[in-house]
Amino acid sequence: MITPMRVTMAAVALGFTVAAQAQTIAITGGKVYPVSGPPIENATVLIVDGRIAAVGRNVTIPAGAQRVEAAGKWVTPGFINASTTLGVAEITLSAGQVDNSATGQRAVAASFRVWEGFNPAAAFLPSARKLGVTTVGVLPGRGLIQGQAAAIDLLDGSLSDMLVRGPIAMTADLSNANNIDGARAEAIAHLRELLRDARTYNARRVQYDANQSRALVASRADLDALVPVVQGTLPLWIIADRASDIEAALALAREFAPMRIGILSGAEAWMVADKLAAARVPVFVGAMNNIPGSFNTLNARQENAGLLRARNANVVLIGNGAGDAGGFNVGNLRYDAGNAVAYGMTWDDALRAVTLSPAEAMGIADRAGSLTVGKVGNVVVWSGDPFEFATTAEHVFVRGRESARPTREDELTERYKTQPPKYGKPPV
Amino acid sequence: MSKPSYNGALTTVHYDLHIHTLMRHRAIPFLALLLAGRVAAQATTPTTPTPGPGALSAPNADPFPSTYVPYPSRPTVIRNVTIMTAAGPTIPNGAILMQGGRITAVGATVAAPADAVIIDGAGKYVTPGIIDVHSHLGVYAAPGVPAASDGNEATSPVTAHVWAEHSVWPQDPQFPRNLAGGVTTIQVLPGSANLIGGRSAVLKVVPSRSVQGMKFPGARYGLKMACGENPKRVYASRGPSTRMGNVAGYRAAWIGAEAYRRRWDAWLAGDRKTDPPSRDLNNETLAEVLRGNIFVQNHCYRADEMMQMIDIAKEFGYAIRSFHHGVEAYKIADVLARENISGSLWADWGAFKMEALDAVRANIPIVHAAGGRAVVHSDDPSGSQRLNQEAAKAMAAGRAAGIVVTEEDAIRWLTINAAWTIGLEDRIGSLVPGKNADVVLWSGNPFSVYSRAEKVWVDGALLFDRHDTTNRWRTDFELGYVARPGGTE
């Protein structure tokens, strides 16, 4: 039975589908931070058919363009949070929707493509977008080899619409080594054996398929998935916190050259900053971790990101503030950037570390991460400094479209503005 | 300590106020001052060889008394500074005087004693010391190994007999980090595994060899209670395994406690010539709640469950002082204001479990706007270091939702409202003459992401100075494990 209320809601749904049609948008008069170049005062960003068509002071605005007045506003690329579980894990402590952790075999789940379980209807995607994040890395999360990560644009649509690239990386965990194997060095040996067997498998596929191979340590599907890792075309992002674990990861990368790695979490990365810089390894760190919460993170400090940059290491900022940093609070990434600045990173470096640097690390810099002609129209208009709490993201464009889908929390807030609330209208 | 009264509910708490002699010092290195102060304190502590009063279930008994003595302080003036008092309008370009561990003057100008340390606060801000009413420092110490997991006595759903202070490890390296975030007082609670988890401890964030040396003199105990998912998950196999089982469990506990209280109060009020009733530590704590001497600090997420907890409190005649976490507090903001229950809340935690699913970022400002007491709490050693940032997020979310929130409001969420929640609103939580000199000097507006606590005073003693890395408090644990601070600040 269709109640009047349901009819109304259906009409609203149709309304924002129409509003989401791509068009020409001119964001005018703002202070524009392209990231790929210096900031430009009083500039225009022109988005045509979902792509950035022009950035600068003297931009001709086509007739019929939708104008967004941005005088006094700050305009940046959409922020990119490279480490989230959006769409694959929600309400995790109550086992609501938990699809980010594969069981695998002997802690190896290389063939696990986490985005294949991605839920575009997940309730907290709009919350992240509303706070200025337009693209996320969706990461798997259990075992020695955890699986393959993807880059997702936070637009309203299906997985195929939203998927930017998958895989962007394979992830592994050395921070938890002695829970997975018996000891640190055993986990490293385990990883080495997997990578060697992936090489062997790749070199001897014919023999393998003809049953003329010695036994290999992982399943065919997992070995298959590891081939691009040992070939150096898919990076292996390794969770490591203790300085010596980071050095072990760097040693493994040298041993398996041309394999490329990234360091995820990196609590003590500042202690090996020179080595990370020399190896040109992206280091994914938050800015609010200063607690020796485990024996792997004894020297965690808030200056981590700034010290790494001062040594010319490649820093990607991820969220690690309190709360559900990978889900409900994905949009808090900008506060990590602000805290990084408070503890020594330059403001420009911090902006790059939440835009272009993650795009590069994720292999999507050809289309995201800066306001550059030809890239997709992932653009945010901020009321002020995007790292400040008082600032709001006034307009968020994902591929040139501004969503009208309300967040769940906005609807709840609105409902309880009157107390007791009105839960609906009785049918007339 | 004056003689307690035993007539049931709502007796006044008996503050064991320590009156401290004013200590004046010349310029002595900070660490030397610390050591001197502690040695003096130890030397004056009397020994008591006489038998203790352990047989009696006496109200306001204090078997683990505070030995806290303020660290040495010097008269200090901060002038030319913006002062958020939490008691009135912000004072631009103001001055504050601390003397003898107390705030003695606040205003546009203050008369500085000749021997006062003068600090120029140009461009900086002063606030009261921040109070975190929901901390697990010391009971869930870092590193978080099983040997340091001392916060949940998850062996029975009702454990009012356990006291958080007996789990506190004073060498938890999280303490100095908390102080560096401008936090000067914390309420350390047991965890939320149990329906009734035990007594809280109110501590000053100061170095000490013992938890007694951190205990806030005269502070009341709190009682941790917990609703919802956690107890029913922990006790799923033996019960309670449902929310209705939870409620039956609270009620059964209070029925037993009320009988115990009557028995004891009758004996205490009589001639005391008969043998006293036997002591029961669980009921002793619960009876103190019924007498009004211990505040209930109730972990509860959902609005409907909070409404039920209010009814249970009325059934047994106790008051709930604060709902903690309360992610649905905004749904019953009017009720919380009417019932005079504070909401100790997060700015933006949500969605990590079913009972947190309806979190909204405007929760705190909505509770505030309804006339209730909103408190920003942490439940987290990282969030606790940045409660000013949490308040800033909540203030912004309120404004985005069309709620008028001022910085004067938001500072109260971190200070005086928190002080009320733990019953210390007469002693800390605002910058008014006569109150303890728990003071923070911020590098800028505390609601900016770029500001940091620069100096922190506890009872007038400068215990954190960001620019002085050589005398920085380092816990025993950190020695040899954690690199010395410095070099980049």
Side-chain angles (χ1 to χ4, degrees):
Chain A
M1 186 178 137
I2 297 176
T3 65
M5 193 171 80
R6 282 183 187 155
V7 171
T8 308
M9 287 175 71
V12 168
L14 283 172
F16 68 72
T17 305
V18 172
Q21 292 299 317
Q23 50 196 310
T24 299
I25 295 148
I27 302 165
T28 60
K31 183 172 186 180
V32 175
Y33 289 83
V35 181
S36 49
I40 317 166
E41 298 277 357
N42 193 21
T44 294
V45 176
L46 188 69
I47 307 171
V48 178
D49 292 336
R51 295 215 171 242
I52 294 171
V55 179
R57 280 217 183 86
N58 303 307
V59 173
T60 307
I61 298 169
Q66 178 200 334
R67 284 174 183 259
V68 176
E69 175 55 53
K73 315 293 184 190
W74 299 32
V75 183
T76 71
F79 284 10
I80 301 175
N81 190 328
S83 174
T84 82
T85 54
L86 274 184
V88 294
E90 218 164 65
I91 327 174
T92 49
L93 291 183
S94 307
Q97 306 186 61
V98 186
D99 289 306
N100 63 325
S101 297
T103 308
Q105 295 176 357
R106 226 192 125 208
V108 175
S111 59
F112 172 54
R113 294 150 67 93
V114 68
W115 67 90
E116 291 181 343
F118 180 83
N119 179 12
F124 298 107
L125 303 181
S127 298
R129 178 174 57 207
K130 191 187 171 191
L131 292 165
V133 171
T134 57
T135 307
V136 295
V138 177
L139 269 51
R142 182 166 71 188
L144 179 63
I145 299 268
Q146 304 182 314
Q148 302 169 48
I152 298 272
D153 267 348
L154 296 180
L155 47 82
D156 298 323
S158 66
L159 172 62
S160 58
D161 299 327
M162 301 171 77
L163 184 65
V164 180
R165 187 170 171 192
I168 54 170
M170 181 79 69
T171 69
D173 188 358
L174 281 183
S175 73
N176 204 20
N178 41 16
N179 286 341
I180 295 166
D181 290 289
R184 276 187 152 72
E186 188 181 10
I188 292 166
H190 188 175
L191 203 49
R192 179 180 292 118
E193 193 178 20
L194 283 161
L195 295 170
R196 281 185 181 164
D197 277 8
R199 277 182 173 170
T200 301
Y201 165 81
N202 190 42
R204 301 172 60 83
R205 280 175 197 251
V206 176
Q207 291 90 331
Y208 182 93
D209 284 343
N211 269 339
Q212 292 171 344
S213 167
R214 66 172 170 83
L216 301 179
V217 291
S219 72
R220 181 199 170 99
D222 285 338
L223 292 166
D224 235 359
L226 284 168
V227 167
V229 172
V230 291
Q231 288 180 329
T233 55
L234 182 68
L236 182 67
W237 291 353
I238 300 173
I239 303 169
D241 282 313
R242 202 171 86 174
S244 63
D245 289 343
I246 296 170
E247 294 215 50
L250 288 170
L252 209 58
R254 286 193 299 272
E255 181 180 343
F256 285 91
M259 182 173 82
R260 293 180 297 134
I261 66 166
I263 297 295
L264 280 167
S265 193
E268 293 187 345
W270 63 275
M271 302 176 93
V272 287
D274 287 335
K275 289 171 180 168
L276 288 164
R280 303 164 69 92
V281 166
V283 190
F284 302 80
V285 296
M288 303 193 204
N289 181 12
N290 67 342
I291 293 175
S294 87
F295 280 97
N296 293 335
T297 65
L298 292 178
N299 283 288
R301 56 188 295 195
Q302 288 166 100
E303 293 87 350
N304 197 11
L307 291 172
L308 284 163
R309 273 307 297 146
R311 297 289 188 168
N312 214 25
N314 177 9
V315 173
V316 177
L317 283 170
I318 56 176
N320 75 346
D324 185 8
F328 189 68
N329 285 329
V330 163
N332 283 1
L333 177 66
R334 61 196 184 102
Y335 310 135
D336 277 85
N339 275 276
V341 173
Y343 285 89
M345 201 177 199
T346 69
W347 193 93
D348 289 345
D349 277 351
L351 180 64
R352 196 183 200 285
V354 293
T355 52
L356 192 52
S357 295
E360 289 167 350
M362 295 159 81
I364 58 169
D366 57 327
R367 63 191 312 286
S370 63
L371 301 180
T372 308
V373 172
K375 289 195 181 185
V376 297
N378 291 356
V379 184
V380 182
V381 180
W382 306 91
S383 63
D385 179 347
F387 303 160
E388 275 288 16
F389 302 109
T391 299
T392 55
E394 297 188 346
H395 298 276
V396 181
F397 295 93
V398 185
R399 297 188 203 165
R401 296 177 186 186
E402 201 167 7
S403 171
R405 181 179 165 192
T407 65
R408 193 169 183 279
E409 60 177 311
D410 283 347
E411 293 193 88
L412 283 161
T413 303
E414 191 57 36
R415 164 172 283 185
Y416 284 95
K417 274 185 177 168
T418 50
Q419 293 189 346
K422 297 177 180 66
Y423 288 117
K425 292 173 186 164
V428 181
Chain B
M1 191 165 159
S2 56
K3 190 182 174 188
S5 58
Y6 306 127
N7 57 352
L10 296 176
T11 56
T12 53
V13 75
H14 304 279
Y15 292 129
D16 188 6
L17 284 169
H18 288 216
I19 307 302
H20 312 293
T21 35
L22 177 62
M23 287 184 253
R24 293 175 192 277
H25 296 269
R26 295 193 195 91
I28 301 172
F30 178 67
L31 199 60
L33 284 178
L34 295 190
L35 292 170
R38 301 320 276 176
V39 170
Q42 299 297 341
T44 56
T45 303
T47 53
T48 51
T50 50
L56 295 186
S57 179
N60 283 312
D62 190 18
F64 305 91
S66 170
T67 57
Y68 169 77
V69 175
Y71 280 95
S73 62
R74 299 172 63 185
T76 302
V77 172
I78 312 167
R79 66 184 183 196
N80 192 23
V81 73
T82 304
I83 304 176
M84 295 178 166
T85 66
T90 295
I91 306 169
N93 200 23
I96 181 169
L97 170 63
M98 301 177 252
Q99 266 179 310
R102 307 268 169 165
I103 296 161
T104 50
V106 183
T109 57
V110 298
D115 58 345
V117 176
I118 309 286
I119 295 169
D120 181 60
K124 299 175 183 176
Y125 282 66
V126 163
T127 70
I130 290 174
I131 300 163
D132 190 354
V133 300
H134 198 116
S135 174
H136 297 298
L137 263 54
V139 302
Y140 284 112
V145 293
S149 175
D150 284 315
N152 269 314
E153 181 55 40
T155 51
S156 168
V158 177
T159 58
H161 55 289
V162 304
W163 298 21
E165 66 199 69
H166 300 138
S167 282
V168 170
W169 182 38
Q171 303 299 338
D172 180 354
Q174 296 171 130
F175 284 119
R177 285 156 182 76
N178 223 44
L179 181 69
V183 179
T184 52
T185 303
I186 57 177
Q187 175 173 233
V188 176
L189 292 155
S192 53
N194 297 348
L195 301 174
I196 298 177
R199 290 196 192 198
S200 71
V202 176
L203 306 181
K204 292 182 179 269
V205 186
V206 296
S208 173
R209 293 189 297 183
S210 68
V211 70
Q212 292 94 321
M214 304 173 78
K215 284 177 72 175
F216 199 114
R220 290 170 192 255
Y221 286 101
L223 177 70
K224 175 71 176 285
M225 295 182 67
C227 302
E229 286 186 34
N230 290 5
K232 84 187 193 84
R233 182 184 67 241
V234 170
Y235 296 101
S237 58
R238 56 169 281 194
S241 67
T242 60
R243 284 182 163 84
M244 59 187 173
N246 286 355
V247 170
Y250 311 124
R251 297 176 78 202
W254 291 120
I255 289 166
E258 174 58 13
Y260 181 88
R261 183 195 68 76
R262 281 167 185 268
R263 250 191 334 270
W264 265 98
D265 286 353
W267 186 85
L268 290 164
D271 59 13
R272 304 193 185 192
K273 284 179 180 165
T274 57
D275 261 7
S278 40
R279 273 184 80 181
D280 175 282
L281 286 176
N282 183 65
N283 280 321
E284 189 168 295
T285 292
L286 296 178
E288 282 290 80
V289 173
L290 296 173
R291 294 183 185 114
N293 295 333
I294 290 180
F295 286 155
V296 169
Q297 310 286 351
N298 199 336
H299 155 124
C300 208
Y301 284 71
R302 264 177 25 189
D304 55 314
E305 287 186 274
M306 287 189 263
M307 300 285 262
Q308 292 179 335
M309 296 311 290
I310 290 169
D311 276 354
I312 294 167
K314 287 177 178 169
E315 182 183 8
F316 294 98
Y318 65 90
I320 298 166
R321 190 69 166 188
S322 187
F323 282 120
H324 291 239
H325 310 338
V327 299
E328 293 188 3
Y330 67 96
K331 296 184 180 180
I332 52 166
D334 54 341
V335 177
L336 297 181
R338 189 174 69 226
E339 299 288 338
N340 203 22
I341 299 171
S342 75
S344 300
L345 312 171
W346 291 300
D348 60 5
W349 286 32
F352 49 89
K353 54 171 154 170
M354 273 310 281
E355 61 192 5
L357 187 57
D358 285 2
V360 302
R361 287 171 172 81
N363 196 25
I364 288 167
I366 291 172
V367 168
H368 163 80
R373 272 193 191 84
V375 178
V376 180
H377 80 336
S378 78
D379 190 22
D380 179 85
S382 180
S384 188
Q385 297 177 47
R386 300 174 196 87
L387 285 169
N388 57 313
Q389 300 193 5
E390 298 299 302
K393 283 190 276 187
M395 181 166 58
R399 289 172 175 172
I403 299 165
V404 177
V405 186
T406 65
E407 291 184 346
E408 281 95 339
D409 297 327
I411 200 69
R412 296 170 69 91
W413 303 342
L414 301 167
T415 56
I416 191 67
N417 289 2
W420 181 89
T421 295
I422 53 176
L424 291 174
E425 69 275 19
D426 295 334
R427 301 172 62 190
I428 55 174
S430 59
L431 300 178
V432 296
K435 281 197 166 180
N436 293 4
D438 292 355
V439 174
V440 184
L441 176 68
W442 301 87
S443 60
N445 186 312
F447 300 118
S448 164
V449 74
Y450 305 120
S451 298
R452 303 184 295 177
E454 208 169 273
K455 289 182 166 61
V456 184
W457 291 264
V458 179
D459 288 314
L462 179 61
L463 293 190
F464 173 76
D465 184 344
R466 193 169 293 278
H467 301 300
D468 178 4
T469 53
T470 51
N471 293 313
R472 188 73 55 85
W473 172 15
R474 297 171 77 212
T475 56
D476 291 353
F477 174 77
E478 290 170 90
L479 306 179
Y481 271 124
V482 179
R484 273 186 174 281
T488 62
E489 296 170 323

